[in-house]
């Protein structure tokens, strides 16, 4: 990547504190600005057009629909009708052979993806790895070669106050560049309902259509992927968020390895930030880190000697102050390696190596999808194990049988994925085979006793 020298910018902004600011001394200094940087970086930012086709069931029914006389008039009236939705976003080319990163919310559900480069070349694309929780998707452009691309910067080196440029396609008006600074780091709690959000904050204006676009530094390296804004009006108010480049790097590595879904290391642990009151109760001088509140028996942290009440302050030398930061640091570390965890216990700090592993599928989940011989065909249940807990976000103490897919009938009755199935028709269930056996011999009424987010409920169905 060519790194343009921003001479005028350096003259204006990088003066010693004691010096006086001076005006540019030549026409060249006035004209230079960010132009060389944009000229080199912008060709690697693309527009993405995604099409989603959904089947929508017609809700209104006519009393004449079953009348033979009106049959031709109402043919196909209540059948599912396709509805086409189009979305517009941005993406960043990361390699000459057409690896592109964007947001999952731009392309994750797309049935057709078209990518247009800055020089108006068009490519068909497919998602080779996507993850809704992280809001990232990796695309492969078809028959692409020799494309301009951006290098990934180590986002842990980014500092508040650095200059940054946001490049994307806001509101579909065409490729647009906006400038600002890095205004915050390690922003959490902005995720899409899953708590995995960990962002770089910038005041460079970001608007709808910028999603998936590039946030770059003054060397033209990619700092992060623009993903969302904080706004009451829907427009940019100077608070935008980008997914750090280090997480993008791990996504690209897993995509190139052929992974079908993004694998993040499993902690098997619950915790909370250490605030002032909690720090005082733990005998800490200052509030820092994340205190462990619970551990699964199979957690690699539990096996490494961690216990409830321990405070984790760093992962591989990087500060951790919340569960979201912990998830991010472990995701960046990747699978298969050992990470150095800094633990604070009884006022003593210790560095402990913990293996980065996927949640084990032990004991086997043994998923079972009910068939037409049962009362609720399509309902899928599985035995709770660490892998199921991680995938469905269940409490670490969860056990027994859980619904992984309610299917069409149970879903209409209110059953949701993640519901723990306690009993069917008053009979306790301990395995997926129990569920099948009971529902295969049920009568006209069915009752499911469930545990949903710690709240017990009963749902009744009439066949």
């Amino acid at each position: 990547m060519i790194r343009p020298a921003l001479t005028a910018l350096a003259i204006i902004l990088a003066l010693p504190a004691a010096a006086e600011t001076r005006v540019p001394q030549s026409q060249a200094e006035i004209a230079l600005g960010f132009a060389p940087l944009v000229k080199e970086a912008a060709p690697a930012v693309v527009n993405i057009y995604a099409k989603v086709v959904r089947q929508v069931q017609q809700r209104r029914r006519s009393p004449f629909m079953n009348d033979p006389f009106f049959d031709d008039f109402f043919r196909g009236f209540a059948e599912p009708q396709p509805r086409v939705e189009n979305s517009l976003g941005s993406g960043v080319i990361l390699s000459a052979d057409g690896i592109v990163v964007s947001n999952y919310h731009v392309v994750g559900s797309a049935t057709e993806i078209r990518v247009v480069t800055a020089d108006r070349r068009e490519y068909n694309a497919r998602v080779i790895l996507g993850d809704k929780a992280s809001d990232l998707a990796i695309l492969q452009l078809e028959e692409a070669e020799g494309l301009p691309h951006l290098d990934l910067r180590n986002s842990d080196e980014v500092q508040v106050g650095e200059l940054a440029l946001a490049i994307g396609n806001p509101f579909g008006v065409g490729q647009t560049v906006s400038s600002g600074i890095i205004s915050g780091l390690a922003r959490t709690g902005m995720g899409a309902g899953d708590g995995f959000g960990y962002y770089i904050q910038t005041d460079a204006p970001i608007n709808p259509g910028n999603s998936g676009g590039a946030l770059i530094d003054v060397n033209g390296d990619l700092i992060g992927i623009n993903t969302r804004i904080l706004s009451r009006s829907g427009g940019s108010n100077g608070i935008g968020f980008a997914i750090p480049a280090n997480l993008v790097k791990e996504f690209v590595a897993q995509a190139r390895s052929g992974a079908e879904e993004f694998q993040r290391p499993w902690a098997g642990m619950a915790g909370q930030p250490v605030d002032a009151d909690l720090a005082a109760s733990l005998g800490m001088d200052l509030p820092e880190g994340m205190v462990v509140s619970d551990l699964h028996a199979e957690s690699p942290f539990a096996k490494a000697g961690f216990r409830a009440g321990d405070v984790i302050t760093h992962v591989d030398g990087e500060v951790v102050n919340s569960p979201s930061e912990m998830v991010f640091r472990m995701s960046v570390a990747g699978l298969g390696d050992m990470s150095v965890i800094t633990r604070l216990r009884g006022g003593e700090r210790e560095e402990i190596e913990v293996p980065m592993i996927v949640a084990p599928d032990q004991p086997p989940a043994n998923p079972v999808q009910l068939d037409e011989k049962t009362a609720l065909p399509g309902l899928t249940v599985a035995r709770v194990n660490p892998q199921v807990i991680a995938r469905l976000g269940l409490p670490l103490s969860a056990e027994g049988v859980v619904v992984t897919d309610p299917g069409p009938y149970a879903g209409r009755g209110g059953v949701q994925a993640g519901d723990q199935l306690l009993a069917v028709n008053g009979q306790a269930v301990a395995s997926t085979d129990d569920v099948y056996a009971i529902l295969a011999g049920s009568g006209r009424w069915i009752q499911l006793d469930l545990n949903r987010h710690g709240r017990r409920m009963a749902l009744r169905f009439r066949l």
Side-chain angles (χ1 to χ4, degrees), residues 201-262:
Q201 181 181 318
T202 180
D203 71 345
I206 296 173
N207 289 288
N210 268 117
S211 293
L215 186 68
I216 62 173
D217 63 12
V218 293
N219 290 319
D221 291 334
L222 187 69
I223 298 173
I225 297 298
N226 300 321
T227 185
R228 52 175 43 89
I229 60 175
L230 190 61
S231 171
R232 293 181 179 178
S233 64
S236 176
N237 289 337
I239 302 179
F241 301 97
I243 301 169
N246 283 4
L247 184 58
V248 176
K249 180 180 179 180
E250 180 61 24
F251 263 79
V252 173
Q254 291 197 26
R256 286 196 177 280
S257 71
E260 295 183 358
E261 62 181 33
F262 183 69

Side-chain angles (χ1 to χ4, degrees), residues 152-169:
L152 294 169
R153 178 181 171 184
N154 181 355
S155 53
D156 290 334
E157 297 176 352
V158 176
Q159 299 181 49
V160 174
E162 284 191 35
L163 289 167
L165 298 183
I167 309 176
N169 184 9

Side-chain angles (χ1 to χ4, degrees), residues 4 19 27 59 111 124 189 191 210 303 335 340 387 397 406 433 450 454:
Q27 184 65 32
R59 293 185 177 180
T111 53
N124 291 322
N210 268 117
K303 294 182 177 181
L335 294 169
V340 178
Q387 192 174 99
S397 59
D433 292 336
L450 309 170

Side-chain angles (χ1 to χ4, degrees), residues 375-395:
L376 295 174
L379 176 69
T380 305
V381 294
R383 182 178 180 179
V384 176
N385 65 16
Q387 192 174 99
V388 173
I389 288 174
R391 181 157 57 90
L392 297 178
L394 302 178

Side-chain angles (χ1 to χ4, degrees), residues 164-401:
L165 298 183
I167 309 176
N169 184 9
F171 301 109
V173 299
Q175 191 176 84
T176 302
V177 181
S178 55
S179 67
I181 64 169
I182 302 300
S183 52
L185 300 172
R187 297 304 195 207
T188 60
M190 315 293 179
D194 40 52
F196 289 168
Y198 180 95
Y199 304 103
I200 295 170
Q201 181 181 318
T202 180
D203 71 345
I206 296 173
N207 289 288
N210 268 117
S211 293
L215 186 68
I216 62 173
D217 63 12
V218 293
N219 290 319
D221 291 334
L222 187 69
I223 298 173
I225 297 298
N226 300 321
T227 185
R228 52 175 43 89
I229 60 175
L230 190 61
S231 171
R232 293 181 179 178
S233 64
S236 176
N237 289 337
I239 302 179
F241 301 97
I243 301 169
N246 283 4
L247 184 58
V248 176
K249 180 180 179 180
E250 180 61 24
F251 263 79
V252 173
Q254 291 197 26
R256 286 196 177 280
S257 71
E260 295 183 358
E261 62 181 33
F262 183 69
Q263 297 282 339
R264 54 176 55 83
W266 180 63
M269 175 172 60
Q272 65 184 81
V274 176
D275 57 18
D277 292 337
L278 193 52
S281 68
L282 294 171
M284 300 170 59
D285 295 332
L286 294 171
E288 62 171 327
M290 181 196 79
V291 63
V292 178
S293 58
D294 193 14
L295 284 163
H296 192 280
E298 297 300 317
S299 164
F301 285 81
K303 294 182 177 181
F306 286 76
R307 64 179 186 231
D310 287 345
V311 176
I312 295 174
T313 61
H314 296 77
V315 174
D316 292 329
E318 300 295 337
V319 173
V320 166
N321 282 314
S322 70
S324 293
E325 289 186 52
M326 187 74 184
V327 171
F328 172 78
R329 290 298 168 197
M330 291 180 64
S331 298
V332 167
L335 294 169
D337 294 328
M338 303 290 288
S339 281
V340 178
I341 311 299
T342 304
R343 180 183 70 187
L344 182 60
R345 177 190 289 176
E348 298 293 328
R349 293 183 189 271
E350 184 178 3
E351 292 187 343
I352 301 170
E353 288 192 336
V354 177
M356 298 290 100
I357 63 170
V358 296
D361 189 22
Q362 293 295 329
N366 188 30
V368 171
Q369 184 179 51
L370 276 59
D371 56 26
E372 297 294 335
K373 298 178 181 178
T374 65
L376 295 174
L379 176 69
T380 305
V381 294
R383 182 178 180 179
V384 176
N385 65 16
Q387 192 174 99
V388 173
I389 288 174
R391 181 157 57 90
L392 297 178
L394 302 178
L396 295 175
S397 59
E399 56 184 6
V401 178

